[in-house]
Structure formats: C-alpha cells, structure tokens
Amino acid sequence: MQQDLSIPQPLPPTKGIDDTTNIITLGRAWTDAAGNAPTAEVSTANFIVHTKVPELDITSANDGDNIKYTFDFGENVTGFDIGDIDISKDTATVADGATLEGGKNGIYTLLVTPKPNIKGDITVSVVNGLVTDDDGNFNIGDSLTQTIKTINIDNPLEGDDIVNLEESKDVVISGTTTGIENGQTVTVTLHDTANHQNTLEVKATVNNNTWSLIGTQIADISDWKNGDITITAEADGAKQASHTVTLDKTLPNVEISSDIATTTDGTITYTFKFSEPMKDFGKDKLSLTNIESSGDLTYDDQTKTYSITVIPKDGLDNNNKFGVSINDTTIDNSGNPITGETSLNYDYKVYTGTDNNDTSALYASTYDYISLKGGGNDTLTLNNDYNSNTDVNAIIDLGAGTDTLIINTTEKIDLSKIHNVEHIMVKEDDAQVIGTATDETILLDVGTNHHNDPLQLSDYQNIEHFEVTSVDEMEGTSKAEEVTLKSNDFNSIDLGKGTDTLLISDDTTIDLSKVSNIENITLNSGAKLDMIDISTLIENTNDTIIITDFDHTKDTNNDNNKETVSLNKNNFKDTNSDGIIDEKDATTVTHDSHDYDHYTSSDGTHFIDIEHTLTLDWQ
C-alpha cells in the first residue's frame, strides 16, 4: 500500500545543523496510482535549519592574584548568571567584588581567587540545560579542572618568627608546593628590610611537594643587624611566597641588687632588673646558696623588677658564702640566653653567743656581712688588717640589745652599713669614719696618739658630735662641731674655725688652757672650769664665747657656795673704769631667750657671755 502523500509528513532535521540555505525538491521519477508521472519537478521555498545547541567551552588565564575564567557558549544565550557557575569551595572563591561580565556573542568572564596555601585542584563547571539560545535550544555544559602551581613558606619560622643569635647562624627555612614537579629549584631570598644593607640568596629543591634548606645551602645572617628580615620563595612560575621574621641577637643581662646595706630584721631582699623581658622567668630559674628560707618571687610592673626575700643560714664557718644566682637556662622572649654577671653572693659569719653578751674581734675587711644575733649587750671590735688596703665593706648587724662597736682599724668604715648599734667607740687615732644623716655620736678613747700626729676630725665625714674620754692631740675642722669632754685626759684640743660647742660632762674639771677655738661652752651639773683665758679660747676677731647651762642656784659641790668660774682679768676691759674687773663690768645681753652677763675683752674685739650671775674668781 502506498503512502498517501496528500497528508503532510514530518521531516526531522539532522542535529547540530546551522544552515541558512535549505530547499526540498520533488522530482518526476514517481507515478500516481493510475500510473501517471508528474509533468515537472516541484521545489519548496528556501528555509533555515538551526539544530545546533549552545555548547559551553570554559578556559582560564592568570590575572594577578586571581584566575580569569572565560565562558564561551558560541552564540548569544539567555538566562546565564553567576549563580549558574559551580566553583570548588575548598580551593577557590569568587574574587572580592567580582561580577559576571560580558555576554556579547555568548562570551562571559569571571575572576576567581585561589584560597591561601591551596592544596588541591580548582574546578569550575556549568551543567547542561541552564540557558537557551535565541531559537530555544538548551546549552551543553562544561567543566574545567586545573592544578594551580603554588609555593608556600612554613611558618612560624624557628617556632616563633623570631631568629635569635644561635638560630641566625643557620636559619631553618622550609615550605610546600603544589603542581610543581620534583627536582624543580626553589630560590629563597633573605632581605634586610630594617637596614636595607644585606641580601642573601640560597637554593632548595622540590621533593614530593616539599622543600627545605639543607646541606651546604645555609642561611647564615649572624652578621646582620637586628630588625625585620623578609624571606621570599619562588619556583616554576608559581606566585612568589613571602614571609617576615624578626632578627634579635641581643643577649639579655641582669642587674642584681639587695637591701643588705639597710635591712635590720635579718632578711635580705634581692632585686633583679633585666635589660629586656624574659621568657617564663620564675623561682625555678634561681639557685639559692646557704639560704635557710625564701619567699615567693614577685614582679613589680611599675619598676619592671623581680624580687625575692631570703633568710641566710646561721652558723656558717668563715668564708662561706650565701646568695642567689640565675640559672644559665634563663632566656629572653627571643630565646637568647642570659649573659654577664648572674649572681650576687656575700661572705657570711654569724656570732650567736650562748650568754647573749658576746665580745668578738675580727678583721672586718675579710667579710661582706657580719651579724651578732645573740640578743644581748654585745661588743664587736673591728681590728686592723695590715695585709689589706681595702675599706671595710661589710654589712654589720649587731641585733637586739645595747650593743657597742669598737673601731680599732685605719680601714674606712661607712656607718650606713652598720645596724642596731647603740655606742660607737674609736680606739685608733687614724680611724676613718663616714657618718649618716642620723645624729650619730662618736666616743674617742684613743689615748696616746699611735702615729704621733693629732687626731683629725676631718677623717670623720658627716659626723659633728664627739665624746672625748682620752686623746693626746685633736684638731677640728671649719665645720661646726660639738665635743663633749668626759675627762681632762688630753694634751691639746683645737676645734678649728667653725662655730663649735664644748660640753663638759658631769663632775668633770677641765683646764680650758688646753682648748682653743671654742665659741660655746655648756657646763653640765658639777662640771668645773679651772681657768678661762680668753686669748686662748678666741682667735677670730669679734667672736663670742657663750657659757651656758650652769645652774648657779645649786651647791653641786656641797661647799655652801655658788659655783666659781676663774677668769684671767688681764684679758677683760674695765668697762666702768673703777680700776677693778668684777660683775659691775658686765652688761646684760639676751641671746636665744637667755640673759647673759656680757664681758668685753681688753682689746674690745672679743666677748664672753655667762648665763646667770656667777661668783667670779678673777685671777
């Protein structure tokens, strides 16, 4: 049965055709049912065949830190947007601020940024059937997978991105790669960014996606200055890797001090001041020698210092030391070890005394620290060490009780280092003593001068109060000094040019003819003056001697008479011209709220003021 051609028949076009010239021709080689052949060929009008679909092609190219992807559909399409693109999220992302651009002739572009330290491939894809061309043909998708060549530098370098002195001799630098074949060369460059003076280039080799400086390839920057160092790594066209570290070769040091010079309670506080912050510095970094007990190590954020309080052991033998030292494992925050003096020790001697009334004598210059802790009334004598030319630097603590320090040495002694002492006695005429800001009194009991020279008060710095029991000869200074005479056991005393005060102890008789350059005389109860010779007492023009604290209302010697002061009348002026020197020649002068009988010297330039009215025995 023949097909009825009077009914239209479909003619499906071939797929993938894009042709604008198409004609269908019906020839004459056929007949109808009656056997009649056509008289001529018949052709259709020209028509277009478009069965080619938009087939996507994805390509890529580097664009700075990004990758530029191109999406080419081959013709205009409708409905394509950024959301139709699938990007492997573990390895890349759309660049910041990027949009899908283009569209003309079906060509689009998009910037994609690989993720830092990428490990793996980047895949970008578009699936089938998302968009259509102008004739409604749906697209065929595409996918592009590529391995990105990358190189990275492991960090932190040296564990903390700080290169210390030891590490600077061979900086450990390593890293990883992706997409780079084994055997490729990695060029590592170190640049001194802080001082801009040094650059060092070394080589490494890629092996199974890793690289490191080994063998002869040593990054030695030990002669570079401290500061930031930039390190870069490059290989096989991969984007350059860069990392910055800090070079710190400065070794820390410490200043250790203690309050041993001022402590008075048997404890000693050590203070540590470092030149820079230290790493994990604690009590475990300290070594304590001959320490009985110790407190916690504390930190003062204001002074940036550490402190620890210790109690030294008692009963140590001669030349034993106590103290603290810092372990050599102590490092700063960069890992540099401590350098310089790291300990502070003292020679230590303890006298405990079973009867609490010790009498001890020693060479003080031998020790750094001496302590009498018996608690009784102790006496410590410092003798002369003729083999030593040093000062006495010992810290001396005599403890509780009424204690006496006897100075029998020519070595200089600083009283600021001596604690808990009530009496200071000097038996060496060439002694040298430095006083403190306190009101100290030195008892001079030296007897006959050992060196045949006058005892010089100039050897006693910052001391103005002296008690004299026994001295051969003594010379004062230009400063104002106060001297108490406790006996008449002296040959001569010259108090110098200052405004000096002479005090005469109870029941003591003094021959003032052996004393010169006095401005003030104070007589304690029962004290007597054998004679006052104004020419001996006063040497400076217009000076005045004031004799005070004489209680004329008491009969201190039980002779039923007022006390007697003997004066050399030849040295005083007969003020009323009656031919005699007596109380009538005195005038009343008020000084410091006291009334004085004022006597004028015969030359009219010197004066003696005597407090209250005395019975005068003119010689």
Side-chain angles (χ1 to χ4, degrees), residues 16 56 69 100 118 131 152 156 161-162 199 212 222 225 241 338 434 455 497 501 504 534 563 613:
L56 179 60
Y69 283 87
L100 187 63
I118 180 175
V131 299
N152 299 296
D161 277 343
I162 299 175
T199 297
S212 62
S222 57
K225 293 182 180 179
I338 190 73
I434 302 176
L455 184 149
K497 303 301 182 181
T501 298
I504 302 176
I534 194 169
E563 297 306 322
T613 300

PDB file of all heavy atoms in Angstrom, residues 16 56 69 100 118 131 152 156 161-162 199 212 222 225 241 338 434 455 497 501 504 534 563 613:
ATOM      1  N   GLY A  16      22.593  19.375  15.205  1.00  0.00           N
ATOM      2  CA  GLY A  16      23.848  20.072  15.069  1.00  0.00           C
ATOM      3  C   GLY A  16      24.011  20.833  13.792  1.00  0.00           C
ATOM      4  O   GLY A  16      25.123  21.146  13.381  1.00  0.00           O
ATOM      5  N   LEU A  56      28.981  24.993  25.705  1.00  0.00           N
ATOM      6  CA  LEU A  56      29.883  25.831  26.512  1.00  0.00           C
ATOM      7  C   LEU A  56      31.326  25.322  26.442  1.00  0.00           C
ATOM      8  O   LEU A  56      31.578  24.118  26.519  1.00  0.00           O
ATOM      9  CB  LEU A  56      29.422  25.850  27.973  1.00  0.00           C
ATOM     10  CG  LEU A  56      30.281  26.656  28.954  1.00  0.00           C
ATOM     11  CD1 LEU A  56      30.362  28.136  28.564  1.00  0.00           C
ATOM     12  CD2 LEU A  56      29.737  26.502  30.380  1.00  0.00           C
ATOM     13  N   TYR A  69      38.412  33.333  34.402  1.00  0.00           N
ATOM     14  CA  TYR A  69      37.744  32.258  33.676  1.00  0.00           C
ATOM     15  C   TYR A  69      36.858  32.864  32.579  1.00  0.00           C
ATOM     16  O   TYR A  69      36.139  33.861  32.824  1.00  0.00           O
ATOM     17  CB  TYR A  69      36.887  31.416  34.624  1.00  0.00           C
ATOM     18  CG  TYR A  69      37.718  30.443  35.456  1.00  0.00           C
ATOM     19  CD1 TYR A  69      38.270  30.846  36.660  1.00  0.00           C
ATOM     20  CD2 TYR A  69      37.950  29.156  35.005  1.00  0.00           C
ATOM     21  CE1 TYR A  69      39.043  29.972  37.417  1.00  0.00           C
ATOM     22  CE2 TYR A  69      38.716  28.266  35.750  1.00  0.00           C
ATOM     23  CZ  TYR A  69      39.263  28.683  36.950  1.00  0.00           C
ATOM     24  OH  TYR A  69      40.028  27.807  37.691  1.00  0.00           O
ATOM     25  N   LEU A 100      29.904  38.748  37.044  1.00  0.00           N
ATOM     26  CA  LEU A 100      29.945  38.088  35.748  1.00  0.00           C
ATOM     27  C   LEU A 100      29.862  39.159  34.667  1.00  0.00           C
ATOM     28  O   LEU A 100      28.876  39.903  34.587  1.00  0.00           O
ATOM     29  CB  LEU A 100      28.787  37.092  35.622  1.00  0.00           C
ATOM     30  CG  LEU A 100      28.791  36.200  34.383  1.00  0.00           C
ATOM     31  CD1 LEU A 100      30.017  35.293  34.376  1.00  0.00           C
ATOM     32  CD2 LEU A 100      27.510  35.374  34.338  1.00  0.00           C
ATOM     33  N   ILE A 118      46.687  26.862  49.028  1.00  0.00           N
ATOM     34  CA  ILE A 118      45.802  25.894  48.368  1.00  0.00           C
ATOM     35  C   ILE A 118      46.480  24.534  48.260  1.00  0.00           C
ATOM     36  O   ILE A 118      47.655  24.428  47.943  1.00  0.00           O
ATOM     37  CB  ILE A 118      45.403  26.414  46.971  1.00  0.00           C
ATOM     38  CG1 ILE A 118      44.477  25.404  46.277  1.00  0.00           C
ATOM     39  CG2 ILE A 118      46.620  26.747  46.140  1.00  0.00           C
ATOM     40  CD1 ILE A 118      43.945  25.921  44.950  1.00  0.00           C
ATOM     41  N   VAL A 131      20.638  27.378  30.143  1.00  0.00           N
ATOM     42  CA  VAL A 131      20.324  28.558  29.336  1.00  0.00           C
ATOM     43  C   VAL A 131      19.896  28.109  27.942  1.00  0.00           C
ATOM     44  O   VAL A 131      20.123  26.947  27.544  1.00  0.00           O
ATOM     45  CB  VAL A 131      21.538  29.503  29.241  1.00  0.00           C
ATOM     46  CG1 VAL A 131      21.939  30.005  30.621  1.00  0.00           C
ATOM     47  CG2 VAL A 131      22.721  28.811  28.574  1.00  0.00           C
ATOM     48  N   ASN A 152      54.717  27.786  49.148  1.00  0.00           N
ATOM     49  CA  ASN A 152      54.467  28.397  50.444  1.00  0.00           C
ATOM     50  C   ASN A 152      55.698  28.247  51.335  1.00  0.00           C
ATOM     51  O   ASN A 152      56.507  27.332  51.164  1.00  0.00           O
ATOM     52  CB  ASN A 152      53.270  27.738  51.138  1.00  0.00           C
ATOM     53  CG  ASN A 152      51.995  27.891  50.337  1.00  0.00           C
ATOM     54  OD1 ASN A 152      51.522  28.989  50.146  1.00  0.00           O
ATOM     55  ND2 ASN A 152      51.457  26.773  49.871  1.00  0.00           N
ATOM     56  N   PRO A 156      55.078  29.507  61.867  1.00  0.00           N
ATOM     57  CA  PRO A 156      56.163  30.469  62.113  1.00  0.00           C
ATOM     58  C   PRO A 156      57.530  29.819  61.976  1.00  0.00           C
ATOM     59  O   PRO A 156      57.731  28.674  62.384  1.00  0.00           O
ATOM     60  CB  PRO A 156      55.922  30.924  63.559  1.00  0.00           C
ATOM     61  CG  PRO A 156      55.216  29.770  64.200  1.00  0.00           C
ATOM     62  CD  PRO A 156      54.366  29.159  63.121  1.00  0.00           C
ATOM     63  N   ASP A 161      58.795  32.923  64.712  1.00  0.00           N
ATOM     64  CA  ASP A 161      59.080  34.006  63.763  1.00  0.00           C
ATOM     65  C   ASP A 161      60.096  35.003  64.306  1.00  0.00           C
ATOM     66  O   ASP A 161      60.156  36.151  63.855  1.00  0.00           O
ATOM     67  CB  ASP A 161      57.796  34.743  63.353  1.00  0.00           C
ATOM     68  CG  ASP A 161      57.066  34.014  62.242  1.00  0.00           C
ATOM     69  OD1 ASP A 161      57.683  33.161  61.583  1.00  0.00           O
ATOM     70  OD2 ASP A 161      55.864  34.287  62.030  1.00  0.00           O
ATOM     71  N   ILE A 162      60.877  34.578  65.300  1.00  0.00           N
ATOM     72  CA  ILE A 162      61.983  35.390  65.822  1.00  0.00           C
ATOM     73  C   ILE A 162      63.260  34.574  65.686  1.00  0.00           C
ATOM     74  O   ILE A 162      63.324  33.426  66.128  1.00  0.00           O
ATOM     75  CB  ILE A 162      61.760  35.786  67.289  1.00  0.00           C
ATOM     76  CG1 ILE A 162      60.478  36.629  67.426  1.00  0.00           C
ATOM     77  CG2 ILE A 162      62.955  36.566  67.827  1.00  0.00           C
ATOM     78  CD1 ILE A 162      60.130  36.968  68.862  1.00  0.00           C
ATOM     79  N   THR A 199      71.433  41.254  51.433  1.00  0.00           N
ATOM     80  CA  THR A 199      70.562  40.325  50.712  1.00  0.00           C
ATOM     81  C   THR A 199      71.318  39.006  50.557  1.00  0.00           C
ATOM     82  O   THR A 199      72.495  39.001  50.213  1.00  0.00           O
ATOM     83  CB  THR A 199      70.174  40.864  49.329  1.00  0.00           C
ATOM     84  OG1 THR A 199      69.425  42.076  49.490  1.00  0.00           O
ATOM     85  CG2 THR A 199      69.309  39.849  48.595  1.00  0.00           C
ATOM     86  N   SER A 212      63.245  22.413  51.539  1.00  0.00           N
ATOM     87  CA  SER A 212      63.905  22.968  52.723  1.00  0.00           C
ATOM     88  C   SER A 212      65.364  23.218  52.409  1.00  0.00           C
ATOM     89  O   SER A 212      65.932  22.617  51.497  1.00  0.00           O
ATOM     90  CB  SER A 212      63.781  22.021  53.928  1.00  0.00           C
ATOM     91  OG  SER A 212      64.427  20.790  53.653  1.00  0.00           O
ATOM     92  N   SER A 222      74.163  35.816  60.750  1.00  0.00           N
ATOM     93  CA  SER A 222      74.642  36.137  62.091  1.00  0.00           C
ATOM     94  C   SER A 222      75.372  37.479  62.148  1.00  0.00           C
ATOM     95  O   SER A 222      75.545  38.030  63.233  1.00  0.00           O
ATOM     96  CB  SER A 222      75.566  35.026  62.598  1.00  0.00           C
ATOM     97  OG  SER A 222      76.652  34.821  61.709  1.00  0.00           O
ATOM     98  N   LYS A 225      72.376  43.139  61.205  1.00  0.00           N
ATOM     99  CA  LYS A 225      71.866  43.912  62.322  1.00  0.00           C
ATOM    100  C   LYS A 225      70.453  43.448  62.690  1.00  0.00           C
ATOM    101  O   LYS A 225      69.737  42.894  61.868  1.00  0.00           O
ATOM    102  CB  LYS A 225      71.838  45.399  61.983  1.00  0.00           C
ATOM    103  CG  LYS A 225      73.221  46.019  61.805  1.00  0.00           C
ATOM    104  CD  LYS A 225      73.110  47.511  61.506  1.00  0.00           C
ATOM    105  CE  LYS A 225      74.481  48.143  61.333  1.00  0.00           C
ATOM    106  NZ  LYS A 225      74.383  49.593  61.024  1.00  0.00           N
ATOM    107  N   ALA A 241      56.089  33.396  47.195  1.00  0.00           N
ATOM    108  CA  ALA A 241      55.689  33.368  48.596  1.00  0.00           C
ATOM    109  C   ALA A 241      56.585  34.310  49.380  1.00  0.00           C
ATOM    110  O   ALA A 241      57.769  34.475  49.067  1.00  0.00           O
ATOM    111  CB  ALA A 241      55.796  31.953  49.155  1.00  0.00           C
ATOM    112  N   ILE A 338      70.834  34.368  78.993  1.00  0.00           N
ATOM    113  CA  ILE A 338      71.316  35.434  79.858  1.00  0.00           C
ATOM    114  C   ILE A 338      72.838  35.479  79.798  1.00  0.00           C
ATOM    115  O   ILE A 338      73.511  34.461  79.645  1.00  0.00           O
ATOM    116  CB  ILE A 338      70.844  35.197  81.310  1.00  0.00           C
ATOM    117  CG1 ILE A 338      71.113  36.412  82.197  1.00  0.00           C
ATOM    118  CG2 ILE A 338      71.451  33.940  81.889  1.00  0.00           C
ATOM    119  CD1 ILE A 338      70.188  37.554  81.914  1.00  0.00           C
ATOM    120  N   ILE A 434      82.718  57.314 108.072  1.00  0.00           N
ATOM    121  CA  ILE A 434      81.723  58.080 107.313  1.00  0.00           C
ATOM    122  C   ILE A 434      80.389  57.944 108.027  1.00  0.00           C
ATOM    123  O   ILE A 434      79.863  56.835 108.198  1.00  0.00           O
ATOM    124  CB  ILE A 434      81.593  57.556 105.868  1.00  0.00           C
ATOM    125  CG1 ILE A 434      82.939  57.629 105.164  1.00  0.00           C
ATOM    126  CG2 ILE A 434      80.534  58.342 105.107  1.00  0.00           C
ATOM    127  CD1 ILE A 434      82.924  57.035 103.779  1.00  0.00           C
ATOM    128  N   LEU A 455      94.913  63.720 116.186  1.00  0.00           N
ATOM    129  CA  LEU A 455      93.722  63.057 115.642  1.00  0.00           C
ATOM    130  C   LEU A 455      92.930  64.096 114.859  1.00  0.00           C
ATOM    131  O   LEU A 455      92.633  65.182 115.378  1.00  0.00           O
ATOM    132  CB  LEU A 455      92.887  62.474 116.769  1.00  0.00           C
ATOM    133  CG  LEU A 455      91.655  61.660 116.377  1.00  0.00           C
ATOM    134  CD1 LEU A 455      91.394  60.569 117.418  1.00  0.00           C
ATOM    135  CD2 LEU A 455      90.417  62.517 116.208  1.00  0.00           C
ATOM    136  N   LYS A 497      87.956  76.429 112.984  1.00  0.00           N
ATOM    137  CA  LYS A 497      87.388  77.742 112.711  1.00  0.00           C
ATOM    138  C   LYS A 497      85.868  77.778 112.686  1.00  0.00           C
ATOM    139  O   LYS A 497      85.285  78.824 112.462  1.00  0.00           O
ATOM    140  CB  LYS A 497      87.913  78.262 111.376  1.00  0.00           C
ATOM    141  CG  LYS A 497      89.449  78.340 111.293  1.00  0.00           C
ATOM    142  CD  LYS A 497      90.027  79.244 112.372  1.00  0.00           C
ATOM    143  CE  LYS A 497      91.544  79.355 112.247  1.00  0.00           C
ATOM    144  NZ  LYS A 497      92.130  80.204 113.292  1.00  0.00           N
ATOM    145  N   THR A 501      80.948  73.955 119.778  1.00  0.00           N
ATOM    146  CA  THR A 501      80.389  73.907 121.122  1.00  0.00           C
ATOM    147  C   THR A 501      81.160  72.887 121.939  1.00  0.00           C
ATOM    148  O   THR A 501      81.369  71.748 121.496  1.00  0.00           O
ATOM    149  CB  THR A 501      78.902  73.529 121.094  1.00  0.00           C
ATOM    150  OG1 THR A 501      78.190  74.523 120.367  1.00  0.00           O
ATOM    151  CG2 THR A 501      78.343  73.431 122.495  1.00  0.00           C
ATOM    152  N   ILE A 504      80.923  70.009 128.816  1.00  0.00           N
ATOM    153  CA  ILE A 504      81.736  69.419 129.864  1.00  0.00           C
ATOM    154  C   ILE A 504      80.830  68.557 130.725  1.00  0.00           C
ATOM    155  O   ILE A 504      79.821  69.019 131.260  1.00  0.00           O
ATOM    156  CB  ILE A 504      82.431  70.514 130.692  1.00  0.00           C
ATOM    157  CG1 ILE A 504      83.304  71.375 129.747  1.00  0.00           C
ATOM    158  CG2 ILE A 504      83.263  69.900 131.802  1.00  0.00           C
ATOM    159  CD1 ILE A 504      83.957  72.532 130.428  1.00  0.00           C
ATOM    160  N   ILE A 534      90.867  84.089 127.766  1.00  0.00           N
ATOM    161  CA  ILE A 534      90.177  84.428 126.525  1.00  0.00           C
ATOM    162  C   ILE A 534      91.123  84.467 125.339  1.00  0.00           C
ATOM    163  O   ILE A 534      90.730  84.191 124.202  1.00  0.00           O
ATOM    164  CB  ILE A 534      89.424  85.764 126.676  1.00  0.00           C
ATOM    165  CG1 ILE A 534      88.432  85.930 125.518  1.00  0.00           C
ATOM    166  CG2 ILE A 534      90.389  86.935 126.725  1.00  0.00           C
ATOM    167  CD1 ILE A 534      87.481  87.077 125.726  1.00  0.00           C
ATOM    168  N   GLU A 563      78.840  78.205 142.454  1.00  0.00           N
ATOM    169  CA  GLU A 563      79.961  77.718 141.666  1.00  0.00           C
ATOM    170  C   GLU A 563      80.878  78.870 141.257  1.00  0.00           C
ATOM    171  O   GLU A 563      80.444  80.006 141.087  1.00  0.00           O
ATOM    172  CB  GLU A 563      79.449  76.987 140.416  1.00  0.00           C
ATOM    173  CG  GLU A 563      78.632  75.747 140.749  1.00  0.00           C
ATOM    174  CD  GLU A 563      79.379  74.783 141.654  1.00  0.00           C
ATOM    175  OE1 GLU A 563      80.594  74.618 141.496  1.00  0.00           O
ATOM    176  OE2 GLU A 563      78.735  74.183 142.528  1.00  0.00           O
ATOM    177  N   THR A 613      74.007  84.918 136.877  1.00  0.00           N
ATOM    178  CA  THR A 613      75.041  85.662 137.612  1.00  0.00           C
ATOM    179  C   THR A 613      75.927  84.681 138.353  1.00  0.00           C
ATOM    180  O   THR A 613      75.439  83.821 139.095  1.00  0.00           O
ATOM    181  CB  THR A 613      74.394  86.635 138.625  1.00  0.00           C
ATOM    182  OG1 THR A 613      73.567  87.551 137.908  1.00  0.00           O
ATOM    183  CG2 THR A 613      75.464  87.398 139.392  1.00  0.00           C
TER     184      THR A 613
END
